[in-house]
Amino acid sequence: MKKLLSFGLLLASAIGMNAQQLPNVGFESWKATCGQTLQTTDNGGKSTSTATNFKTRPGVEPTDWNGSNVNQQVGLPVKEAGFVTKQGAEGNYWAKLTNLKVGAFGITACAPAYLTFGTPWSHAASKNQDGGTYGGVAFTNKPDAIKGKYRRSNDTNEKAHIIAYFWTGTFTSKIGASNSPAISMDNVERAILGKSNAGTITGDGQLIASCDKEFTTTTNATNDDWEEIIVPITYKNLETAPTMMNVIISSADYWTRDNMVANSTLEVDDVEFVYYHTLKAISYDGLVITDNPVEGPTVEYYYTESTFDEAKLTLDVNGVGATTSTSYDSATGILTINVFGNDYNADTNPSSKSVYYVKFIYPSSTQTYTNSLFIDAKDAGGKQFNETKDIKVLTYETTSGTRKDLKLSDFSFGSGEESMYIGDIIVEDVNVAQENGSEILTCTKKLTPIAGLGGMALPITLNSTSKGNDMLATIDITFGESVINVVFAPAVTMDGSAAITATGLTNVKVVRSFKQGWNTLALPFAITTDELGTGVKAQEFSGVTYVTPEGGGLNFTAVTNLEANKPYLVYFPAATDVSEYFGTNISAVVETGVTHGAYTFKPNFSNPSLSMAGNYGVVTADGVSKIMKGGTGSTLQTIRAYFIGNGPETARIYFDGETTGIEAITNATANGKIYNLQGVEVSGKLPAGVYVKNGEKVIIK
């Protein structure tokens, strides 16, 4: 394996308060004499209450690290140097960790092989064995991960561990026999990491960050290949810097002695901390300029203002302790962003730095259009109507050509507690076409990430037409499973008091009081009964039954979709004041109406005081709906409808073939005059069918 020399080698001899990297990264330096392990029993195997029985470990271990080679005495001295061994050759050394059984008098137990910066301790006894690590080294930086190269082939499925933790203050607990620890000790690993066997913990210690990677084998270990493993470090406290650190690399299932298996091995090399110094995103004024920017290449950002304001710049950095600096050149419009890793040093580690560039390109011209804005977001706050709103079309001149963006400022919908502020909507680099002197902007793309939606980039469809100072536009924004329909167009209120002349894309406000029961309605655009309210029904004029002064009538059929320029009867279950918004396209305003037989049902769009003298209106009395000719003083407002014809003064209205006033009649002579549907009087015993009596349909079954 080729040795990777790193900045860590420069610090191999002195890890301390100002250090940023682990020492002896590649295990090239080894001790002539190992460090000491605390034995928490006396040499006879009895527990002690003071930490005085230190023993120098046999064998070898990497410089600046402590290993778990065994030197202990329980009656007889036991030494075992095989837990940590040096492998390889000069210039390419690494460490091999092997779990082994140790003991005396034929009583043995499996012990873990590990390396650490802390001090190992062991409770050497015939029963209630225990062990671990306490302490660490001074450290004040914030690494993002720990990485190393590992090789492990393990048929037992025992878990190896890569553990790192950072803390400040002091954790005090007890170590010794597993059932009755007796020695008070500071900064034991299980106390710092909150393990269940830590016992009572006192002191002012605070865990800042940690990681614990478990794995059984490494990739291609059977082929003698090394695997680089990078373990992210999770920060519990991002505000406080640590003062201490420790690392434990173990071939054993470090936390569970019962799972330890003799002869499990782990080879390890090139262990070092990782400090990230890249950007996740660059944002300006709440909008994302770019996600995951690439170092070096310049990102072009088409902005809507003419000056750069650093207060509006937001940098999302990879790297817990990473820092940034920026500089802006107003002559070129280029922003330079430097990101420094927490281990950056201009003299000793200058490579822990990334540089990004953003070129701000400002509009060469801005055209502002003013109109009303209709927002239809039924599934996300309802409908909303803004009487005036501005849309700007920004034109940029670049070396690659002309570009146009569309900007809608301060977009929001809903009201009160249901309101949602979105912010600026910018549609970038739209398609431009010219048609009959008008400029057409279109696009179907992902919208520029919106600050008010957490930086979401929503799908959008834009269609706009502008000529002179006028613009019409539709903007459809996909939001989850619903679509927000936005219409930018002139506003028209249809309340019956004025003639209807608007055509084309229009934002309409319909204001109308409907009585309980049946009303006439005609609009120059299509709607549904649901848009008018809950329980609203509609019927269209569908035919005429033979009409005489004594019978017959006008037939209506239920519909739910109301067409443009077509009159309807609409039923409201209660008196209702409607004030509803519609963003719609009015292709034409037509009063032709619907004709069946001698009757025509016509919309009124042109005359807000239409005389009803000689024309038919709709009346309902005693549950029966009829058309009736109006008097000389009666008038009709717009967005309503009326009948014209030459029939009797009144005629019955029938809904869905429904017959009202049904009677059980069997003999015409006994029940007064009866007519068939052709207007012919019938008498005698009647067969089953539909007849007319006193102007009403009746059914004989």
Side-chain angles (χ1 to χ4, degrees), residues 277-284 289-290 293-299 308 310 313-317 323-329 334-340 353-360:
H277 48 85
T278 57
L279 287 176
K280 297 179 185 177
I282 306 171
S283 300
Y284 192 79
I289 294 176
T290 180
V294 177
E295 183 183 4
T298 302
V299 175
F308 172 76
E310 188 168 0
L313 180 68
T314 302
L315 303 176
D316 191 0
V317 181
T323 56
T324 63
S325 70
T326 60
S327 61
Y328 179 72
D329 186 340
I334 292 179
L335 170 71
T336 301
I337 303 168
N338 298 299
V339 183
F340 305 96
K353 171 185 174 182
S354 298
V355 183
Y356 304 86
Y357 302 95
V358 179
K359 181 176 178 60
F360 283 74

Side-chain angles (χ1 to χ4, degrees), residues 36-38 57 60-62 65-70 82-85 95-100 111-122 130-134 161 163 165 189-190 246-254 257 260 264 266 268:
Q36 293 186 322
T37 296
L38 171 63
R57 294 180 293 273
V60 295
E61 59 193 16
W65 294 77
N66 293 314
S68 59
N69 287 339
V70 169
F83 285 87
V84 179
T85 57
K96 183 176 182 179
L97 310 178
T98 306
N99 299 346
L100 297 170
Y114 62 91
L115 288 171
T116 182
F117 293 117
T119 300
W121 67 272
S122 174
D130 204 352
T133 304
Y134 65 88
H161 284 259
I163 304 166
Y165 50 98
E189 87 282 63
R190 63 186 67 170
N246 190 30
V247 172
I248 301 169
I249 299 171
S250 174
S251 179
D253 192 343
Y254 186 81
R257 297 186 68 85
M260 295 179 187
S264 287
L266 176 66
V268 56

Side-chain angles (χ1 to χ4, degrees), residues 542-547 550-556 624 652-665 674-677 689-700:
S542 58
V544 174
T545 299
Y546 185 81
V547 178
E550 292 82 10
L554 283 62
N555 298 325
F556 280 74
V624 176
R652 187 64 181 270
I653 294 175
Y654 297 99
F655 299 106
D656 284 336
E658 171 190 354
T659 59
T660 56
I662 297 176
E663 297 181 40
I665 59 173
I674 304 293
Y675 298 87
N676 63 20
L677 296 182
V690 180
Y691 298 87
V692 177
K693 177 189 176 187
N694 297 329
E696 297 179 355
K697 284 184 182 179
V698 293
I699 296 176
I700 298 177

Side-chain angles (χ1 to χ4, degrees), residues 38-240:
L38 171 63
Q39 182 176 314
T40 61
T41 60
D42 62 20
N43 290 342
K46 294 182 179 179
S47 296
T48 63
S49 59
T50 56
T52 58
N53 196 9
F54 286 90
K55 298 185 181 297
T56 301
R57 294 180 293 273
V60 295
E61 59 193 16
T63 302
D64 294 307
W65 294 77
N66 293 314
S68 59
N69 287 339
V70 169
N71 180 2
Q72 63 188 33
Q73 185 170 345
V74 185
L76 292 178
V78 175
K79 293 187 178 182
E80 176 54 70
F83 285 87
V84 179
T85 57
K86 181 169 66 171
Q87 305 292 312
E90 186 174 355
N92 189 23
Y93 287 123
W94 67 88
K96 183 176 182 179
L97 310 178
T98 306
N99 299 346
L100 297 170
K101 286 189 175 183
V102 294
F105 305 109
I107 302 174
T108 62
C110 186
Y114 62 91
L115 288 171
T116 182
F117 293 117
T119 300
W121 67 272
S122 174
H123 188 78
S126 60
K127 295 181 179 180
N128 301 317
Q129 301 98 343
D130 204 352
T133 304
Y134 65 88
V137 291
F139 194 81
T140 58
N141 278 75
K142 295 180 179 180
D144 299 292
I146 183 171
K147 75 174 181 178
K149 290 183 169 60
Y150 298 89
R151 186 162 57 190
R152 179 180 177 87
S153 179
N154 186 357
D155 296 331
T156 65
N157 290 324
E158 181 185 8
K159 298 174 181 177
H161 284 259
I162 304 169
I163 304 166
Y165 50 98
F166 307 77
W167 74 96
T168 186
T170 302
F171 298 81
T172 301
S173 60
K174 290 186 176 182
I175 60 174
S178 61
N179 64 341
S180 57
I183 299 176
S184 182
M185 188 60 65
D186 290 340
N187 300 325
V188 178
E189 87 282 63
R190 63 186 67 170
I192 296 172
L193 293 173
K195 297 295 181 179
S196 59
N197 60 343
T200 301
I201 304 169
T202 59
D204 61 351
Q206 183 179 6
L207 177 64
I208 303 300
S210 65
C211 66
D212 186 352
K213 168 74 174 179
E214 298 178 343
F215 60 102
T216 56
T217 61
T218 54
T219 304
N220 296 326
T222 55
N223 296 330
D224 209 31
D225 291 340
W226 293 81
E227 178 185 353
E228 182 178 76
I229 298 177
I230 300 176
V231 184
I233 295 169
T234 301
Y235 278 77
K236 187 176 181 180
N237 184 332
L238 290 171
E239 305 301 323
T240 305

Side-chain angles (χ1 to χ4, degrees), residues 337-401:
I337 303 168
N338 298 299
V339 183
F340 305 96
N342 194 224
D343 60 339
Y344 173 80
N345 184 288
D347 297 322
T348 59
N349 193 25
S351 63
S352 184
K353 171 185 174 182
S354 298
V355 183
Y356 304 86
Y357 302 95
V358 179
K359 181 176 178 60
F360 283 74
I361 302 175
Y362 302 105
S364 56
S365 65
T366 301
Q367 176 71 50
T368 301
Y369 302 94
T370 302
N371 234 324
S372 70
L373 195 73
F374 168 70
I375 304 165
D376 186 355
K378 299 185 189 71
D379 298 331
K383 294 182 177 182
Q384 182 174 327
F385 198 107
N386 294 307
E387 294 297 339
T388 58
K389 205 70 176 175
D390 287 342
I391 282 183
K392 294 181 179 180
V393 175
L394 312 168
T395 302
Y396 303 88
E397 301 297 339
T398 69
T399 55
S400 57

